[in-house]
Amino acid sequence: MGNITRRDMLGRSSLLMASMGTGLPLTAANPEPAEAARKLKIVVVGGHPDDPESGCGGTIAHYAGEGHEVVIVYLTRGESGIKGKTMQEAAAIRSAEAGKACEILHARPIFAGQIDGHTELNPSLYEAFRKILDVENPDVVFTHWPIDTHRDHRVASLLTYDAWLTGGKKFDLYYFEVEQGEQTQIFQPTHYVDISTTLSRKQAACFAHASQHPETDFWPQHEAMNRFRGMECGVKNAEGFVRHCQNHGMDAPKRG
Ligand SMILES: [Zn+2]
């Protein structure tokens, strides 16, 4: 199998490295000056506070650290996620935790107004969500892989996908994984981001969600996932993504 040219592989974003059948991670080691200077708007869509952080917190920290603008859209405020608390109380606690996590990652939070455990899809909600993304006008969007055991994750994924379709595929669309096996299922990355240097920041952002008991309930799984994805692409720790092959009207990456 021949080499893949960097431009074909990465499109305009030059963000991610890919294995794409070569078995080796390929990086934009010598980006062209114009590409290197361009600051991107990156939006990450998650079902609940803690999903964007656990799914791609290392990637967020990496690109925010390079000066790119990162916005996290939380579909819900995690209203159903704390036993013994009312939905209102849980929403307040978890919104504050999300704010703290965003500070750690240097991202800006947005809450999209749906309710944890009760998320819905209908024409007006599709439209409302598309407007949120229209306002942000992102270059790149990361969201949940749609085959996921949690309904809210599936809703977040489909809202994002619909916004991408109806908005004319203006941004590059990537999918991330959370709690692989238990939540995200049958996911095989096409692209990887080396998060070896940002793993500790990702961990701190995940641990900002203290109400979710990250030390036992979701951090160990993600730590193992990141090690495994790192082994797949030849680095210490990585996050894996699936890139939609029709980003910017491109077909599957061409081989040079
Ligand atoms: Zn979730």
Side-chain angles (χ1 to χ4, degrees), residues 182-217:
E182 291 180 39
Q183 294 189 331
T184 297
Q185 305 199 317
I186 56 169
F187 180 94
Q188 179 57 52
T190 60
H191 288 65
Y192 298 88
V193 171
D194 181 355
I195 62 162
S196 304
T197 60
T198 56
L199 185 70
S200 59
R201 184 117 53 96
K202 170 178 182 168
Q203 181 174 4
C206 288
F207 275 64
H209 296 279
S211 70
Q212 302 306 295
H213 311 293
E215 66 283 359
T216 54
D217 287 11

mmCIF file of all heavy atoms in Angstrom, residues 182-217:
data_model
loop_
_atom_site.group_PDB
_atom_site.id
_atom_site.type_symbol
_atom_site.label_atom_id
_atom_site.label_comp_id
_atom_site.label_asym_id
_atom_site.label_seq_id
_atom_site.Cartn_x
_atom_site.Cartn_y
_atom_site.Cartn_z
ATOM 1 N N GLU A 182 -18.695 -0.675 26.830
ATOM 2 C CA GLU A 182 -19.888 -0.503 27.656
ATOM 3 C C GLU A 182 -20.844 0.506 27.043
ATOM 4 O O GLU A 182 -22.060 0.358 27.106
ATOM 5 C CB GLU A 182 -19.509 -0.032 29.064
ATOM 6 C CG GLU A 182 -18.790 -1.087 29.885
ATOM 7 C CD GLU A 182 -18.431 -0.564 31.272
ATOM 8 O OE1 GLU A 182 -19.237 0.160 31.881
ATOM 9 O OE2 GLU A 182 -17.315 -0.867 31.727
ATOM 10 N N GLN A 183 -20.302 1.573 26.468
ATOM 11 C CA GLN A 183 -21.155 2.592 25.861
ATOM 12 C C GLN A 183 -20.895 2.611 24.351
ATOM 13 O O GLN A 183 -21.678 2.087 23.573
ATOM 14 C CB GLN A 183 -20.925 3.947 26.533
ATOM 15 C CG GLN A 183 -21.389 3.932 27.996
ATOM 16 C CD GLN A 183 -21.390 5.294 28.662
ATOM 17 O OE1 GLN A 183 -20.621 6.177 28.333
ATOM 18 N NE2 GLN A 183 -22.266 5.466 29.640
ATOM 19 N N THR A 184 -19.798 3.226 23.912
ATOM 20 C CA THR A 184 -19.457 3.164 22.487
ATOM 21 C C THR A 184 -19.210 1.711 22.076
ATOM 22 O O THR A 184 -18.531 0.966 22.786
ATOM 23 C CB THR A 184 -18.182 3.988 22.225
ATOM 24 O OG1 THR A 184 -18.443 5.356 22.528
ATOM 25 C CG2 THR A 184 -17.755 3.880 20.762
ATOM 26 N N GLN A 185 -19.746 1.332 20.919
ATOM 27 C CA GLN A 185 -19.573 -0.044 20.446
ATOM 28 C C GLN A 185 -19.133 -0.067 18.989
ATOM 29 O O GLN A 185 -19.380 0.870 18.241
ATOM 30 C CB GLN A 185 -20.894 -0.799 20.618
ATOM 31 C CG GLN A 185 -21.372 -0.709 22.065
ATOM 32 C CD GLN A 185 -22.375 -1.757 22.438
ATOM 33 O OE1 GLN A 185 -23.278 -2.036 21.672
ATOM 34 N NE2 GLN A 185 -22.230 -2.327 23.608
ATOM 35 N N ILE A 186 -18.531 -1.176 18.583
ATOM 36 C CA ILE A 186 -17.978 -1.426 17.243
ATOM 37 C C ILE A 186 -17.352 -0.159 16.632
ATOM 38 O O ILE A 186 -17.729 0.296 15.578
ATOM 39 C CB ILE A 186 -19.008 -2.075 16.283
ATOM 40 C CG1 ILE A 186 -20.283 -1.242 16.153
ATOM 41 C CG2 ILE A 186 -19.348 -3.483 16.735
ATOM 42 C CD1 ILE A 186 -21.184 -1.725 15.001
ATOM 43 N N PHE A 187 -16.366 0.338 17.338
ATOM 44 C CA PHE A 187 -15.675 1.574 16.951
ATOM 45 C C PHE A 187 -14.227 1.241 16.625
ATOM 46 O O PHE A 187 -13.512 0.693 17.456
ATOM 47 C CB PHE A 187 -15.756 2.553 18.122
ATOM 48 C CG PHE A 187 -15.095 3.886 17.908
ATOM 49 C CD1 PHE A 187 -15.814 4.970 17.447
ATOM 50 C CD2 PHE A 187 -13.745 4.064 18.206
ATOM 51 C CE1 PHE A 187 -15.218 6.207 17.269
ATOM 52 C CE2 PHE A 187 -13.140 5.303 18.036
ATOM 53 C CZ PHE A 187 -13.883 6.377 17.560
ATOM 54 N N GLN A 188 -13.800 1.566 15.427
ATOM 55 C CA GLN A 188 -12.390 1.371 15.056
ATOM 56 C C GLN A 188 -11.844 2.684 14.510
ATOM 57 O O GLN A 188 -12.304 3.158 13.468
ATOM 58 C CB GLN A 188 -12.256 0.275 13.999
ATOM 59 C CG GLN A 188 -10.818 0.032 13.560
ATOM 60 C CD GLN A 188 -9.887 -0.326 14.733
ATOM 61 O OE1 GLN A 188 -10.191 -1.230 15.507
ATOM 62 N NE2 GLN A 188 -8.792 0.399 14.881
ATOM 63 N N PRO A 189 -10.927 3.304 15.229
ATOM 64 C CA PRO A 189 -10.457 4.626 14.792
ATOM 65 C C PRO A 189 -9.828 4.628 13.401
ATOM 66 O O PRO A 189 -9.173 3.664 12.998
ATOM 67 C CB PRO A 189 -9.391 4.988 15.838
ATOM 68 C CG PRO A 189 -9.691 4.132 17.014
ATOM 69 C CD PRO A 189 -10.270 2.865 16.473
ATOM 70 N N THR A 190 -10.049 5.730 12.714
ATOM 71 C CA THR A 190 -9.317 6.000 11.477
ATOM 72 C C THR A 190 -8.203 7.009 11.733
ATOM 73 O O THR A 190 -7.277 7.113 10.938
ATOM 74 C CB THR A 190 -10.244 6.595 10.398
ATOM 75 O OG1 THR A 190 -10.804 7.830 10.890
ATOM 76 C CG2 THR A 190 -11.366 5.629 10.045
ATOM 77 N N HIS A 191 -8.324 7.781 12.810
ATOM 78 C CA HIS A 191 -7.364 8.840 13.123
ATOM 79 C C HIS A 191 -7.050 8.813 14.622
ATOM 80 O O HIS A 191 -7.884 8.391 15.435
ATOM 81 C CB HIS A 191 -7.921 10.215 12.754
ATOM 82 C CG HIS A 191 -7.982 10.459 11.279
ATOM 83 N ND1 HIS A 191 -8.789 9.741 10.444
ATOM 84 C CD2 HIS A 191 -7.304 11.332 10.495
ATOM 85 C CE1 HIS A 191 -8.617 10.157 9.200
ATOM 86 N NE2 HIS A 191 -7.730 11.125 9.198
ATOM 87 N N TYR A 192 -5.875 9.301 14.945
ATOM 88 C CA TYR A 192 -5.432 9.324 16.338
ATOM 89 C C TYR A 192 -4.823 10.684 16.662
ATOM 90 O O TYR A 192 -4.233 11.326 15.787
ATOM 91 C CB TYR A 192 -4.356 8.260 16.583
ATOM 92 C CG TYR A 192 -4.823 6.842 16.343
ATOM 93 C CD1 TYR A 192 -4.752 6.270 15.084
ATOM 94 C CD2 TYR A 192 -5.346 6.082 17.385
ATOM 95 C CE1 TYR A 192 -5.186 4.977 14.851
ATOM 96 C CE2 TYR A 192 -5.783 4.782 17.175
ATOM 97 C CZ TYR A 192 -5.705 4.237 15.900
ATOM 98 O OH TYR A 192 -6.137 2.951 15.680
ATOM 99 N N VAL A 193 -4.953 11.056 17.919
ATOM 100 C CA VAL A 193 -4.212 12.216 18.419
ATOM 101 C C VAL A 193 -3.341 11.744 19.585
ATOM 102 O O VAL A 193 -3.848 11.096 20.515
ATOM 103 C CB VAL A 193 -5.165 13.339 18.880
ATOM 104 C CG1 VAL A 193 -4.393 14.444 19.589
ATOM 105 C CG2 VAL A 193 -5.925 13.916 17.695
ATOM 106 N N ASP A 194 -2.079 12.055 19.512
ATOM 107 C CA ASP A 194 -1.136 11.725 20.580
ATOM 108 C C ASP A 194 -1.408 12.644 21.764
ATOM 109 O O ASP A 194 -1.258 13.862 21.657
ATOM 110 C CB ASP A 194 0.295 11.931 20.054
ATOM 111 C CG ASP A 194 1.358 11.598 21.096
ATOM 112 O OD1 ASP A 194 1.007 11.304 22.263
ATOM 113 O OD2 ASP A 194 2.556 11.650 20.734
ATOM 114 N N ILE A 195 -1.862 12.061 22.874
ATOM 115 C CA ILE A 195 -2.177 12.886 24.047
ATOM 116 C C ILE A 195 -1.196 12.620 25.197
ATOM 117 O O ILE A 195 -1.506 12.914 26.349
ATOM 118 C CB ILE A 195 -3.634 12.676 24.518
ATOM 119 C CG1 ILE A 195 -3.873 11.224 24.956
ATOM 120 C CG2 ILE A 195 -4.622 13.090 23.432
ATOM 121 C CD1 ILE A 195 -5.114 11.058 25.820
ATOM 122 N N SER A 196 -0.039 12.085 24.854
ATOM 123 C CA SER A 196 0.924 11.734 25.906
ATOM 124 C C SER A 196 1.269 12.928 26.786
ATOM 125 O O SER A 196 1.432 12.787 28.001
ATOM 126 C CB SER A 196 2.197 11.158 25.275
ATOM 127 O OG SER A 196 1.872 10.049 24.460
ATOM 128 N N THR A 197 1.358 14.100 26.186
ATOM 129 C CA THR A 197 1.745 15.275 26.977
ATOM 130 C C THR A 197 0.539 15.984 27.606
ATOM 131 O O THR A 197 0.718 16.870 28.433
ATOM 132 C CB THR A 197 2.506 16.297 26.109
ATOM 133 O OG1 THR A 197 1.664 16.715 25.038
ATOM 134 C CG2 THR A 197 3.780 15.692 25.552
ATOM 135 N N THR A 198 -0.656 15.619 27.223
ATOM 136 C CA THR A 198 -1.837 16.291 27.788
ATOM 137 C C THR A 198 -2.701 15.349 28.627
ATOM 138 O O THR A 198 -3.764 15.747 29.102
ATOM 139 C CB THR A 198 -2.709 16.923 26.681
ATOM 140 O OG1 THR A 198 -3.066 15.922 25.730
ATOM 141 C CG2 THR A 198 -1.984 18.053 25.983
ATOM 142 N N LEU A 199 -2.234 14.128 28.817
ATOM 143 C CA LEU A 199 -3.031 13.152 29.573
ATOM 144 C C LEU A 199 -3.324 13.640 30.991
ATOM 145 O O LEU A 199 -4.433 13.471 31.502
ATOM 146 C CB LEU A 199 -2.302 11.807 29.628
ATOM 147 C CG LEU A 199 -3.093 10.682 30.295
ATOM 148 C CD1 LEU A 199 -4.269 10.252 29.423
ATOM 149 C CD2 LEU A 199 -2.196 9.474 30.580
ATOM 150 N N SER A 200 -2.335 14.280 31.622
ATOM 151 C CA SER A 200 -2.557 14.718 33.006
ATOM 152 C C SER A 200 -3.616 15.818 33.059
ATOM 153 O O SER A 200 -4.419 15.882 34.000
ATOM 154 C CB SER A 200 -1.248 15.199 33.638
ATOM 155 O OG SER A 200 -0.713 16.262 32.880
ATOM 156 N N ARG A 201 -3.632 16.680 32.045
ATOM 157 C CA ARG A 201 -4.668 17.722 32.006
ATOM 158 C C ARG A 201 -6.039 17.086 31.754
ATOM 159 O O ARG A 201 -7.040 17.488 32.322
ATOM 160 C CB ARG A 201 -4.334 18.767 30.932
ATOM 161 C CG ARG A 201 -5.273 19.923 30.887
ATOM 162 C CD ARG A 201 -4.646 21.266 31.197
ATOM 163 N NE ARG A 201 -3.504 21.587 30.411
ATOM 164 C CZ ARG A 201 -3.520 22.342 29.299
ATOM 165 N NH1 ARG A 201 -4.652 22.831 28.848
ATOM 166 N NH2 ARG A 201 -2.418 22.622 28.670
ATOM 167 N N LYS A 202 -6.076 16.105 30.881
ATOM 168 C CA LYS A 202 -7.332 15.375 30.653
ATOM 169 C C LYS A 202 -7.821 14.752 31.967
ATOM 170 O O LYS A 202 -8.997 14.840 32.303
ATOM 171 C CB LYS A 202 -7.111 14.277 29.605
ATOM 172 C CG LYS A 202 -8.298 13.322 29.479
ATOM 173 C CD LYS A 202 -8.108 12.271 28.402
ATOM 174 C CE LYS A 202 -9.347 11.396 28.320
ATOM 175 N NZ LYS A 202 -9.357 10.546 27.124
ATOM 176 N N GLN A 203 -6.906 14.143 32.700
ATOM 177 C CA GLN A 203 -7.295 13.507 33.961
ATOM 178 C C GLN A 203 -7.856 14.548 34.934
ATOM 179 O O GLN A 203 -8.880 14.326 35.585
ATOM 180 C CB GLN A 203 -6.111 12.779 34.594
ATOM 181 C CG GLN A 203 -6.494 12.082 35.902
ATOM 182 C CD GLN A 203 -5.370 11.233 36.485
ATOM 183 O OE1 GLN A 203 -4.255 11.208 35.960
ATOM 184 N NE2 GLN A 203 -5.668 10.540 37.562
ATOM 185 N N ALA A 204 -7.202 15.693 34.997
ATOM 186 C CA ALA A 204 -7.684 16.737 35.906
ATOM 187 C C ALA A 204 -9.086 17.199 35.494
ATOM 188 O O ALA A 204 -9.946 17.436 36.352
ATOM 189 C CB ALA A 204 -6.709 17.914 35.897
ATOM 190 N N ALA A 205 -9.318 17.313 34.188
ATOM 191 C CA ALA A 205 -10.646 17.728 33.714
ATOM 192 C C ALA A 205 -11.696 16.665 34.044
ATOM 193 O O ALA A 205 -12.825 16.983 34.427
ATOM 194 C CB ALA A 205 -10.606 17.994 32.213
ATOM 195 N N CYS A 206 -11.323 15.408 33.900
ATOM 196 C CA CYS A 206 -12.273 14.335 34.255
ATOM 197 C C CYS A 206 -12.540 14.342 35.760
ATOM 198 O O CYS A 206 -13.688 14.168 36.200
ATOM 199 C CB CYS A 206 -11.719 12.979 33.813
ATOM 200 S SG CYS A 206 -11.757 12.720 32.018
ATOM 201 N N PHE A 207 -11.499 14.582 36.533
ATOM 202 C CA PHE A 207 -11.678 14.582 37.987
ATOM 203 C C PHE A 207 -12.415 15.825 38.482
ATOM 204 O O PHE A 207 -12.849 15.866 39.642
ATOM 205 C CB PHE A 207 -10.331 14.401 38.692
ATOM 206 C CG PHE A 207 -9.922 12.958 38.831
ATOM 207 C CD1 PHE A 207 -9.662 12.188 37.692
ATOM 208 C CD2 PHE A 207 -9.827 12.354 40.064
ATOM 209 C CE1 PHE A 207 -9.313 10.842 37.792
ATOM 210 C CE2 PHE A 207 -9.482 11.010 40.181
ATOM 211 C CZ PHE A 207 -9.220 10.257 39.052
ATOM 212 N N ALA A 208 -12.576 16.819 37.629
ATOM 213 C CA ALA A 208 -13.417 17.961 38.011
ATOM 214 C C ALA A 208 -14.874 17.527 38.175
ATOM 215 O O ALA A 208 -15.653 18.192 38.850
ATOM 216 C CB ALA A 208 -13.308 19.061 36.953
ATOM 217 N N HIS A 209 -15.213 16.401 37.573
ATOM 218 C CA HIS A 209 -16.591 15.886 37.683
ATOM 219 C C HIS A 209 -16.693 14.956 38.897
ATOM 220 O O HIS A 209 -17.000 13.770 38.782
ATOM 221 C CB HIS A 209 -16.972 15.160 36.394
ATOM 222 C CG HIS A 209 -17.001 16.074 35.211
ATOM 223 N ND1 HIS A 209 -18.073 16.896 34.941
ATOM 224 C CD2 HIS A 209 -16.067 16.343 34.264
ATOM 225 C CE1 HIS A 209 -17.809 17.614 33.864
ATOM 226 N NE2 HIS A 209 -16.605 17.313 33.438
ATOM 227 N N ALA A 210 -16.446 15.550 40.060
ATOM 228 C CA ALA A 210 -16.355 14.751 41.282
ATOM 229 C C ALA A 210 -17.650 14.020 41.594
ATOM 230 O O ALA A 210 -17.631 12.919 42.160
ATOM 231 C CB ALA A 210 -15.970 15.662 42.454
ATOM 232 N N SER A 211 -18.776 14.592 41.216
ATOM 233 C CA SER A 211 -20.067 13.946 41.528
ATOM 234 C C SER A 211 -20.240 12.619 40.788
ATOM 235 O O SER A 211 -21.105 11.816 41.145
ATOM 236 C CB SER A 211 -21.224 14.882 41.160
ATOM 237 O OG SER A 211 -21.338 15.004 39.751
ATOM 238 N N GLN A 212 -19.414 12.412 39.759
ATOM 239 C CA GLN A 212 -19.540 11.180 38.953
ATOM 240 C C GLN A 212 -18.524 10.103 39.363
ATOM 241 O O GLN A 212 -18.394 9.088 38.685
ATOM 242 C CB GLN A 212 -19.361 11.526 37.474
ATOM 243 C CG GLN A 212 -20.353 12.560 36.983
ATOM 244 C CD GLN A 212 -21.791 12.151 37.272
ATOM 245 O OE1 GLN A 212 -22.266 11.157 36.713
ATOM 246 N NE2 GLN A 212 -22.471 12.880 38.145
ATOM 247 N N HIS A 213 -17.807 10.350 40.458
ATOM 248 C CA HIS A 213 -16.835 9.381 40.975
ATOM 249 C C HIS A 213 -15.887 8.883 39.894
ATOM 250 O O HIS A 213 -15.796 7.677 39.619
ATOM 251 C CB HIS A 213 -17.563 8.205 41.637
ATOM 252 C CG HIS A 213 -18.617 8.645 42.615
ATOM 253 N ND1 HIS A 213 -18.319 9.288 43.784
ATOM 254 C CD2 HIS A 213 -19.970 8.590 42.549
ATOM 255 C CE1 HIS A 213 -19.438 9.595 44.424
ATOM 256 N NE2 HIS A 213 -20.449 9.188 43.688
ATOM 257 N N PRO A 214 -15.188 9.809 39.258
ATOM 258 C CA PRO A 214 -14.334 9.409 38.131
ATOM 259 C C PRO A 214 -13.262 8.397 38.508
ATOM 260 O O PRO A 214 -12.867 7.566 37.681
ATOM 261 C CB PRO A 214 -13.706 10.744 37.681
ATOM 262 C CG PRO A 214 -13.827 11.647 38.858
ATOM 263 C CD PRO A 214 -15.087 11.246 39.555
ATOM 264 N N GLU A 215 -12.787 8.457 39.769
ATOM 265 C CA GLU A 215 -11.677 7.577 40.165
ATOM 266 C C GLU A 215 -12.040 6.097 40.037
ATOM 267 O O GLU A 215 -11.161 5.258 39.842
ATOM 268 C CB GLU A 215 -11.210 7.919 41.592
ATOM 269 C CG GLU A 215 -12.213 7.634 42.701
ATOM 270 C CD GLU A 215 -13.351 8.658 42.811
ATOM 271 O OE1 GLU A 215 -13.371 9.630 42.037
ATOM 272 O OE2 GLU A 215 -14.239 8.462 43.661
ATOM 273 N N THR A 216 -13.331 5.798 40.152
ATOM 274 C CA THR A 216 -13.744 4.398 40.009
ATOM 275 C C THR A 216 -14.683 4.183 38.825
ATOM 276 O O THR A 216 -14.692 3.114 38.225
ATOM 277 C CB THR A 216 -14.491 3.914 41.276
ATOM 278 O OG1 THR A 216 -15.575 4.832 41.554
ATOM 279 C CG2 THR A 216 -13.566 3.842 42.470
ATOM 280 N N ASP A 217 -15.468 5.216 38.473
ATOM 281 C CA ASP A 217 -16.572 4.962 37.553
ATOM 282 C C ASP A 217 -16.269 5.215 36.084
ATOM 283 O O ASP A 217 -16.988 4.723 35.220
ATOM 284 C CB ASP A 217 -17.801 5.789 37.956
ATOM 285 C CG ASP A 217 -18.456 5.231 39.208
ATOM 286 O OD1 ASP A 217 -17.835 4.363 39.859
ATOM 287 O OD2 ASP A 217 -19.576 5.655 39.534
#
